[in-house]
Amino acid sequence: MTLHLSHIARYAPSIQSHIHLKSFAQILTIVMKHPLRFQINMQIMRKRAKLICYLVVLLLFSACTTSKSTVSNNVNLSHYEYASIINNDTYHIPAQLMEYEIQLFDAVENSRLKLVSDARIYELSTSQQKKLLLVKYGVNVQQEETVVTVNFIDYETGRPVASCRGAYSSLGIAGAGYDIKEAIKRVAKQISVTFSK
């Protein structure tokens, strides 16, 4: 019994110091971990706050872009039955964006107007030509806004009778291709409303 007590007495200081060192190391670890966690959490929160700010600005800017239709006061649009899309250098989408040109054709075709090829206009009768609209379109891509305009012109008189405008902006975040696609969706809606079935 005495032997055991002497052993305990001999090793007690080192055991005690070991316990103190272990508990000090645990405290030091806890102290060191918490500031790191705090810094990481702050960085995540900053990133999320920036993302939310970008989204709010994007939504506000998108709300400011206007898609609208303008119709001549002295024209009865129900009179028109045919449309022919005219391609020229002024109103032309680059070849790499042909898919969007297809969507523009679809937008006109989905209205009540019947599409006629510009090469076959002369096959229409005189009365049909009086009901024909020439369609010219333009695409203006800028970082702050992408605008697709589709203009309808009376074939016989050359007078503009309606203009549909679709606008969209992702502030350059989503890319020009996406902005054009969204602007076309908006102009298609305007065409459908203006020349409803």
Side-chain angles (χ1 to χ4, degrees), residues 142-161:
Q142 295 180 352
Q143 188 173 357
E144 59 272 9
E145 186 181 46
T146 295
V147 178
V148 176
T149 308
V150 181
N151 300 312
F152 297 86
I153 299 157
D154 186 289
Y155 173 74
E156 199 172 46
T157 63
R159 173 182 176 163
V161 297

Side-chain angles (χ1 to χ4, degrees), residues 68-73 77 150 152 160-165 190 194:
K68 62 178 183 175
S69 294
T70 304
V71 179
S72 173
N73 291 328
L77 292 182
V150 181
F152 297 86
V161 297
S163 180
C164 298
R165 177 185 193 270
Q190 293 298 320
T194 306

